[in-house]
Amino acid sequence: MLLPAAGSGRVSTGVLLDHLLDRARHSLHRSFVAVGSPTVGALSPLLRARRDIDAALDHLREQRADPGAYRTEDLRPELVLRRLVRAVRDDGELRTGIVERLRAHDAEHGTEYAATLLAYLRHFGDVVAASGALHIHQNTLRLRLRRAEELFGVSLADPTRRLLLTLELTALTRP
């Protein structure tokens, strides 16, 4: 739903959106998720805002977010990550190929190098947190990381390679 921009002295769109959500919840006995974006005055920015709102709603649905009002500005990091991940997924030239090799090895040998690396990277190298997320012993995690470095040339010491690996793993392991 598009709402007109409020003039001076009028109720802001944020307040109006909160009011509409509250009325809908009381009238329909159901909670809703809504996303607001900055005010736009031309078609091109309106189309961008609509794309951002759709992406934000998809993200909130995937995250099973609580009902309520959200703003695209607050979700900007998640929206940027979604675009990057989609680009990496859709364009093979944006990938190094290492994740395809990891996943093929995991499938053929019943290993879990891809999941281990992704957990480790998502926990910023925190072995305790990553091993907890995977429900494995810390030494098992360390062993898998060393083996991944040996078998696939994974370089966890290089920040650029960690970033690319994180993007590729995220792009190729998400549905």
Side-chain angles (χ1 to χ4, degrees), residues 97-99 101-103 105-106 111-121 134 139-157 161 165 169:
I98 195 164
V99 173
R101 292 194 315 272
L102 281 165
R103 292 183 69 200
H105 185 278
D106 284 350
T111 54
E112 299 203 15
Y113 289 114
T116 301
L117 285 164
L118 185 57
Y120 178 77
L121 292 165
L134 293 169
N139 289 340
T140 302
L141 180 88
R142 288 185 186 98
L143 177 63
R144 286 183 190 174
L145 295 174
R146 277 194 303 274
R147 286 292 290 155
E149 288 179 314
E150 293 168 5
L151 290 172
F152 307 103
V154 172
S155 177
L156 297 173
R161 292 179 186 270
L165 183 59
L169 283 165

Side-chain angles (χ1 to χ4, degrees), residues 2 7 14 30-31 43 67 86 88 96 111 120 124-125 135 152 154 157 161 175:
L2 293 175
R30 182 173 171 216
S31 296
L43 183 57
R86 185 174 51 244
V88 169
T96 64
T111 54
Y120 178 77
F124 300 102
H135 306 291
F152 307 103
V154 172
R161 292 179 186 270

Side-chain angles (χ1 to χ4, degrees), residues 45-80:
L46 180 61
L47 294 174
R48 273 194 306 276
R50 173 61 194 257
R51 185 187 65 221
D52 284 349
I53 289 168
D54 288 342
L57 288 169
D58 288 343
H59 169 72
L60 293 168
R61 187 178 317 107
E62 289 169 7
Q63 298 301 311
R64 293 185 171 89
D66 292 331
Y70 297 85
R71 298 170 356 137
T72 55
E73 304 94 281
D74 297 335
L75 297 169
R76 181 65 48 208
E78 290 82 1
L79 301 180
V80 169

Side-chain angles (χ1 to χ4, degrees), residues 16 19 23 38-39 52 55 57 69 81 98 101 107 117 124 131 137 140 174:
L16 180 58
H19 176 74
R23 296 293 300 157
T39 302
D52 284 349
L57 288 169
L81 180 60
I98 195 164
R101 292 194 315 272
L117 285 164
F124 300 102
S131 62
H137 194 276
T140 302
R174 281 189 175 176

